[in-house]
Amino acid sequence: MSWEIIDMMDRIEENYDKKALPLLFSPFPAQVERTQAIAARLDQFERLLGDTVLDPFYYCLTRMAKGEEDLKYIYIAFRQSFGGIFNSFENFRLLPALWMSRDVENMSDRMNAYISAMEDRRREILSIRQGKPEEEFSRKMVVCLTDLENCLEKHLEQFGPVSESIEACTAKLQEQPSFFNRLMKTNDKLNRQIDVLQKQSAAIHNEAYIEMNTLLYRHREVVSVHNRKADYAEKGKERIALFPRGLNGITKLPAAVLLPERSDCFDMKAVWQMFNRIPR
């Protein structure tokens, strides 16, 4: 076993303890709104996690390991270190200021999904220097994100005119009706038209919801889906689709896209906005 690798893995843990961990538990600025302060803290923490832990881990796997024994040691040492990192984050979640924070819950889900992905891909990671399997996984990542983008674009293109028509009819309803409009019962016609348009909108959302679920199943080698209880009982459970990022899905935490369990709670625009925050 190379002493350089042993030293490098020790320094990964030391750098996290010196840089990322103190940041995580440092006091929040009093002059910043709580939600904004939490989001900023998590962004800083994620960048430091990449710089001090994930990037060095990938460097060890691809540049320092000379054989199977090196790879096994790197993987086991990293897995132990990241388990401790996750536990420290779970302790951070217990701070009273973070109760009911959706951003903190998402970060916990993403870190947990990262651990699960490493376990599921252990054989692949331990052979990373044999034929560069990271290139195959990266290709699968690109195909998955492209399919998701095409799915959303197609249904949003159908939804756009329907949404604009609903807004136009609603605006007309809010206007002061003229004598002629009352005579022709224009508002009744507008209400019937809105009812038809809303049914079309629901049908488009339902079709997109079904197609997205099919897509996630088809790309189950790449995407992991977790369940979580929603904030409001009427929404049932939330499913979190976690998309890998970074080199070979290793150098960054996965991106989380929240999906409702019920199709009538599905919001394509919200999913599209979350999807656009997933760096390629």
Side-chain angles (χ1 to χ4, degrees), residues 177-190 192:
S178 64
F179 172 77
F180 179 77
N181 285 343
R182 288 196 298 269
L183 183 65
M184 299 299 294
K185 297 183 178 180
T186 302
N187 282 3
D188 291 343
K189 294 178 181 178
L190 285 171
R192 288 195 296 270

Side-chain angles (χ1 to χ4, degrees), residues 26-79:
S26 62
F28 288 101
Q31 66 275 18
V32 181
E33 192 270 330
R34 186 181 75 99
T35 303
Q36 294 178 352
I38 292 172
R41 175 66 51 82
L42 294 176
D43 284 344
Q44 290 177 294
F45 172 73
E46 187 169 354
R47 284 195 296 271
L48 275 177
L49 184 65
D51 292 342
T52 61
V53 179
L54 305 185
D55 285 340
F57 171 50
Y58 191 72
Y59 178 83
C60 286
L61 287 172
T62 58
R63 300 295 180 87
M64 298 184 72
K66 303 300 183 183
E68 184 177 348
E69 291 302 315
D70 287 350
L71 287 166
K72 284 182 179 179
Y73 176 82
I74 292 168
Y75 176 82
I76 293 171
F78 172 80
R79 182 64 184 83

Side-chain angles (χ1 to χ4, degrees), residues 242-255:
L242 295 134
F243 295 84
R245 300 186 302 146
L247 298 173
N248 195 26
I250 290 176
T251 57
K252 293 181 183 295
L253 295 178

